[in-house]
């Protein structure tokens, strides 16, 4: 019920908003649309969910203008390329990510989505190319893997750096007004959103000192993502498109390939 009212209020304020979920990778995808112009962006699309996303965009009478990624993901193949084929949208990612895209973003760039203005904030530490997207007028931030609900992204691969992540999150995310809602790229316990205030009070890692934070991150003992060998190379070229061989795409979904090329 609470989630319903949040979305209803956002619609009334000129924003069309949907939070979508991929159960296989526990990834959240976000549709951000201008209620006046009907132009939209999608954040962190998942390849296997592109048909779902295209259908929802059609039902909401939205024209997809941009497909953005918060960073070059390691746990799923991005749906950006397939969305480009289906909608003629433009792809976007941080210039620091090293990935290919139609438009490469730098710190403090602003993405115009109809009447909406989405600020791109560089928040490296999980990867060099992590960005947090901030919709100031609607008090929302999309934090990718940099800031999760009561946690944060790992720092033990893909240019990860615990001290840099600590600084990024505190300086560029937790410095936002406390009433801003936090929408991460993942959650593994069924939580859908948080707030800046909540994370400043209750985040299990980022409420610690920098020294304690670094020690926690160095001792997580996590396994590498199951689809990492498939996901990272594809995501470096914004994911497969309709022109890619169907057999290869099937193998991606089944995680059979070590490398797509």
């Amino acid at each position: 019920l609470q989630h319903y009212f949040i979305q209803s209020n956002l619609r009334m304020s000129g924003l069309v908003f949907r939070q979508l979920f991929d159960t296989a990778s526990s990834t959240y995808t976000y549709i951000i649309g201008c209620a006046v112009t009907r132009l939209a962006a999608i954040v962190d699309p998942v390849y296997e969910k592109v048909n779902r996303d295209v259908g929802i965009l059609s039902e909401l009478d939205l024209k997809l203008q941009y497909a953005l990624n918060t960073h070059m993901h390691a746990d799923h193949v991005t749906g950006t390329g397939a969305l480009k084929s289906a909608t003629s949208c433009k792809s976007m990612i941080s210039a620091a990510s090293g990935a290919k895209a139609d438009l490469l973003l730098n710190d403090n760039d602003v993405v115009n989505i109809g009447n909406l203005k989405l600020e791109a904030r560089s928040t490296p530490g999980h990867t060099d190319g992590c960005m947090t997207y901030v919709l100031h007028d609607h008090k929302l931030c999309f934090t990718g893997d940099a800031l999760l609900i009561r946690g944060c992204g790992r720092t033990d691969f893909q240019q990860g750096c615990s001290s840099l992540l600590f600084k990024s999150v505190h300086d560029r995310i937790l410095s936002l007004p406390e009433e801003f809602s936090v929408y991460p790229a993942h959650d593994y316990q069924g939580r859908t959103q948080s707030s800046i205030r909540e994370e400043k009070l209750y985040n299990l890692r980022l409420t610690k000192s920098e020294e304690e934070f670094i020690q926690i991150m160095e001792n997580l003992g996590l396994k590498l993502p199951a689809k990492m060998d498939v996901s990272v190379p594809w995501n470096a070229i914004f994911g497969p498109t309709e022109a890619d061989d169907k057999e290869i795409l099937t193998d991606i979904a089944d995680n059979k390939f070590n490398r797509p090329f």
Side-chain angles (χ1 to χ4, degrees):
L1 184 61
Q2 181 183 11
H3 192 50
Y4 168 79
F5 282 122
I6 289 170
Q7 294 201 354
S8 297
N9 290 336
L10 293 173
R11 284 197 299 270
M12 291 170 60
S13 64
L15 173 67
V16 181
F17 177 75
R18 290 293 184 276
Q19 180 185 45
L20 306 168
F21 190 64
D22 171 49
T23 55
S25 62
S26 296
T27 298
Y28 284 120
T29 296
Y30 300 97
I31 293 174
I32 304 165
C34 173
V36 176
T37 67
R38 312 311 297 179
L39 295 175
I42 192 166
V43 177
D44 288 338
V46 175
Y47 170 72
E48 290 88 346
K49 298 296 183 181
V50 165
N51 288 339
R52 174 201 66 184
D53 300 343
V54 170
I56 291 173
L57 288 161
S58 177
E59 291 169 356
L60 296 177
D61 189 29
L62 293 172
K63 177 179 174 57
L64 188 63
Q65 189 176 17
Y66 301 119
L68 303 91
N69 282 282
T70 53
H71 62 293
M72 190 160 60
H73 296 275
D75 53 6
H76 67 271
V77 175
T78 179
T80 301
L83 283 167
K84 281 169 57 64
S85 297
T87 69
S88 299
C89 68
K90 300 293 186 183
S91 58
M92 287 184 166
I93 198 168
S94 166
S97 70
K100 293 183 179 179
D102 296 310
L103 299 166
L104 297 174
L105 297 169
N106 293 297
D107 190 29
N108 299 321
D109 281 351
V110 175
V111 179
N112 294 304
I113 310 161
N115 296 336
L116 305 175
K117 295 185 181 299
L118 189 69
E119 180 195 3
R121 291 191 170 196
S122 179
T123 50
H126 172 62
T127 72
D128 283 347
C130 285
M131 280 198 148
T132 291
Y133 299 118
V134 184
L135 203 59
H136 289 276
D137 289 346
H138 297 277
K139 300 181 179 180
L140 308 177
C141 59
F142 303 92
T143 57
D145 286 17
L147 177 63
L148 304 177
I149 297 171
R150 308 301 189 263
C152 62
R154 62 196 295 172
T155 58
D156 59 334
F157 67 89
Q158 281 190 296
Q159 317 97 41
C161 176
S162 299
S163 60
L164 182 57
L165 180 61
F166 185 89
K167 180 175 176 59
S168 292
V169 172
H170 279 278
D171 290 355
R172 306 306 311 280
I173 302 177
L174 296 181
S175 59
L176 288 165
E178 290 190 344
E179 66 270 22
F180 273 46
S181 295
V182 171
Y183 287 97
H186 304 281
D187 190 80
Y188 307 96
Q189 298 184 39
R191 300 166 297 196
T192 58
Q193 69 174 92
S194 184
S195 69
I196 296 297
R197 179 180 182 276
E198 286 181 47
E199 295 310 311
K200 287 170 71 173
L201 288 173
Y202 306 122
N203 192 287
L204 298 175
R205 299 175 186 172
L206 289 153
T207 52
K208 309 297 185 183
S209 68
E210 182 176 352
E211 183 179 354
E212 290 173 306
F213 175 78
I214 292 171
Q215 185 175 15
I216 290 170
M217 299 305 291
E218 288 178 348
N219 291 281
L220 292 178
L222 300 173
K223 295 181 180 179
L224 292 177
K227 291 190 175 184
M228 182 175 175
D229 284 346
V230 171
S231 300
V232 172
W234 274 111
N235 293 343
I237 56 171
F238 58 73
T241 68
E242 288 181 356
D244 290 298
D245 184 80
K246 290 183 179 179
E247 183 178 350
I248 293 176
L249 301 189
T250 299
D251 286 337
I252 290 172
D254 293 341
N255 197 29
K256 293 178 182 176
F257 269 45
N258 287 326
R259 297 287 175 185
F261 47 77

